[in-house]
Amino acid sequence: MSDIHDYLAEFDDIPGTRVFTAARARQGYHLNQFAMGLMKADNRERFRADEKAYLDDWKLSDQAKSAVLARDYNALLDLGGNIYFLSKIFSTDGISFAEAVSTMTDMDFPTYREMMNQGGRSPEGQRSIKEKR
Amino acid sequence: MARITAGIATSHVPLLGVAADQNKSGDDYFAPIFSGYEWSRKWLADTLPDVIVLVYNDHASAFDMKIIPTFAIGCGESYAPADEGWGPREVPDVEGHPDLAWHIAQSLILDEFDMTIINEMDVDHGLTVPLTMLFGAPDKWPCKVIPLAVNVVTYPPPSGNRCWALGEAIARAVNSFNDDLDVQVWGTGGMSHQLQGPRAGLINREWDNMFLDGLVGTTDKLRHIPHIEYLRETGSEGIEMVMWLIMRGALGRETKALHRHYHVPCSNTAIGHMVLEPVDGTVPPSPTIEGKNAAAQAMID
Ligand SMILES: [Fe+2]
């Protein structure tokens, strides 16, 4: 078995990635549970009718609330959001998984889609920050 | 006696369910993906098992953050397709096999795999998309399914080695079931993909194909790949591939590949699919006291 501290520390060496660790799961608990609530049609309606009021019903920080309102998915990941939970927000918005994912990159959706059609993002230089590989 | 007759690996991208449900599987974008399953559909028609142990992960559908089981087995009578936020897929309910499922659950626990038991849940695209890819759109799924859900969302997920060993324990459990049943084990998810952050869209064709190679023959090197390698090489969601190792472990010492398919992209993801056959089906005996203990074994038969 690997040492738990070394195991976790390595995750910070991956470029452009937030691994959903226990620490993030704890930090984002209410954010993810809020998003999960959008699986129910009546919650989706209430959220659409008044997003701010709906968010006030959940134990969320002001930062988390404004990141949801702005659909700033990178900020939501930093606040402990998990992508499978956050996907309930973008399916409520009626946008595709790929389009929502593209908003976290430095590309617009058509450029991102074209990259995927050409075989996706190369792992070259994307494996390790320290080792530059 | 029940026996494991084959293993199937497949990606379970939700968009494939959408494409099938909207009759788009012949479109330019989807045809190269679906055509790679044609051989398997024909082969399955001739070798239909009685039961599939279908290894998959739930994507915040049946499980939220309240409870996170590492390994959970469905022992219920049936499972409805989950509403993943846009209404449930219009596919048949999945029929379980409670007798075999409970037998496997009991056997695994005595074999020191402390399973979570699920009697009621809905199943999401992780389980229904593989059925669609391999069976098309029948009025009723042609065999019973035992869902086996693995946590690959919240870290740490189980190690590859543990997944492989669970597969071996499933094979021992199936072999000790008294009814005459053909059982397949399916491993789903993957291959390389990252759905989050600035690195999203990562695909690693070379690594994925190394992984497909590693499922064949007598090698067991895949069981030793650490989580960090999946993360670095295959994107943050590529870790789903540990679920394929449960399938591989269940096939025993040596496998033969009957069919192999790889395609990039489907949405954000690399599609991989393989059909494997056990060569002799030999799995190591249980390392636990209980598993070797005739009295304990008698209790679960
Ligand atoms: Fe998945």
Side-chain angles (χ1 to χ4, degrees):
Chain A
M1 195 200 110
S2 53
D3 177 274
I4 181 74
H5 305 291
D6 298 343
Y7 174 88
L8 294 172
E10 279 185 302
F11 295 165
D12 296 329
D13 181 49
I14 305 168
T17 303
R18 282 81 153 183
V19 180
F20 194 60
T21 55
R24 287 207 170 88
R26 290 176 63 185
Q27 185 194 5
Y29 184 81
H30 294 288
L31 171 62
N32 289 319
Q33 292 299 82
F34 142 75
M36 191 76 191
L38 297 175
M39 297 274 281
K40 295 205 175 77
D42 46 330
N43 288 347
R44 289 197 289 274
E45 262 165 54
R46 280 179 51 217
F47 177 68
R48 282 197 200 104
D50 188 343
E51 295 194 3
K52 244 181 131 303
Y54 185 82
L55 286 165
D56 284 337
D57 287 349
W58 294 83
K59 274 201 233 166
L60 298 173
S61 65
D62 290 343
Q63 231 184 335
K65 286 180 197 170
S66 46
V68 172
L69 293 171
R71 304 296 193 269
D72 183 344
Y73 288 106
N74 278 325
L76 290 167
L77 292 171
D78 283 334
L79 294 166
N82 172 271
I83 196 61
Y84 294 120
F85 288 82
L86 299 178
S87 74
K88 318 301 179 196
I89 306 175
F90 50 79
S91 53
T92 300
D93 289 341
I95 71 167
S96 75
F97 220 115
E99 183 171 354
V101 165
S102 72
T103 69
M104 291 175 260
T105 68
D106 61 2
M107 289 170 219
D108 60 14
F109 182 42
T111 315
Y112 178 82
R113 196 170 40 197
E114 186 51 25
M115 173 183 77
M116 293 317 297
N117 288 340
Q118 297 304 318
R121 184 188 302 280
S122 163
E124 240 22 84
Q126 297 289 328
R127 297 177 173 96
S128 165
I129 300 167
K130 266 188 274 163
E131 295 167 33
K132 297 193 173 65
R133 63 181 177 102
Chain B
M1 192 185 107
R3 70 201 69 80
I4 291 177
T5 53
I8 292 182
T10 179
S11 305
H12 60 213
V13 181
L15 187 62
L16 293 174
V18 177
D21 298 348
Q22 298 180 356
N23 291 315
K24 288 181 181 161
S25 56
D27 287 12
D28 289 350
Y29 187 85
F30 293 108
I33 301 171
F34 281 84
S35 64
Y37 288 80
E38 271 165 28
W39 183 92
S40 315
R41 287 186 186 192
K42 286 192 202 109
W43 171 83
L44 262 170
D46 298 330
T47 57
L48 198 66
D50 299 292
V51 189
I52 299 162
V53 176
L54 204 155
V55 183
Y56 77 111
N57 66 294
D58 180 83
H59 308 75
S61 306
F63 306 133
D64 58 14
M65 291 307 293
K66 284 182 190 161
I67 301 174
I68 307 168
T70 296
F71 292 124
I73 184 167
C75 294
E77 299 277 352
S78 72
Y79 312 91
D83 181 346
E84 300 185 46
W86 52 88
R89 288 188 65 202
E90 285 180 27
V91 293
D93 282 2
V94 174
E95 250 186 87
H97 195 300
D99 285 345
L100 179 61
W102 273 110
H103 171 83
I104 293 174
Q106 295 172 82
S107 304
L108 291 177
I109 291 167
L110 291 179
D111 218 346
E112 297 188 352
F113 284 87
D114 307 315
M115 305 298 290
T116 297
I117 287 154
I118 303 173
N119 286 310
E120 281 186 45
M121 68 168 171
D122 292 345
V123 289
D124 74 6
H125 67 267
L127 188 133
T128 62
V129 165
L131 292 175
T132 297
M133 297 311 287
L134 276 308
F135 293 129
D139 294 333
K140 182 177 178 292
W141 297 121
C143 35
K144 310 269 172 97
V145 175
I146 298 175
L148 199 146
V150 181
N151 166 45
V152 289
V153 174
T154 303
Y155 272 73
S159 69
N161 189 49
R162 191 67 176 153
C163 288
W164 191 296
L166 175 63
E168 293 174 338
I170 290 170
R172 288 192 291 270
V174 167
N175 288 339
S176 68
F177 189 66
N178 286 330
D179 291 6
D180 186 31
L181 294 177
D182 285 349
V183 178
Q184 289 185 1
V185 181
W186 292 13
T188 74
M191 295 187 89
S192 52
H193 65 306
Q194 173 148 339
L195 303 176
Q196 53 122 329
R199 198 176 72 141
L202 186 131
I203 297 286
N204 194 338
R205 184 180 279 272
E206 202 183 328
W207 198 98
D208 286 344
N209 278 285
M210 176 282 291
F211 192 86
L212 291 170
D213 291 342
L215 295 169
V216 186
T218 56
T219 174
D220 67 350
K221 69 169 185 176
L222 298 183
R223 71 192 292 172
H224 303 298
I225 297 171
H227 292 155
I228 187 71
E229 182 172 335
Y230 291 96
L231 285 161
R232 289 195 200 279
E233 297 287 344
T234 74
S236 49
E237 277 63 53
I239 190 65
E240 289 186 339
M241 282 184 269
V242 295
M243 296 188 290
W244 293 27
L245 300 183
I246 297 175
M247 175 277 295
R248 172 61 191 88
L251 298 180
R253 198 182 66 85
E254 184 176 358
T255 62
K256 187 176 142 195
L258 302 182
H259 179 66
R260 174 170 171 161
H261 172 48
Y262 185 77
H263 176 82
V264 177
C266 178
S267 185
N268 306 286
T269 305
I271 298 295
H273 166 49
M274 214 167 191
V275 179
L276 295 165
E277 215 173 38
V279 171
D280 63 12
T282 316
V283 295
S286 169
T288 70
I289 296 166
E290 286 86 349
K292 288 177 183 160
N293 179 316
Q297 205 58 44
M299 282 165 61
I300 59 170
D301 289 339

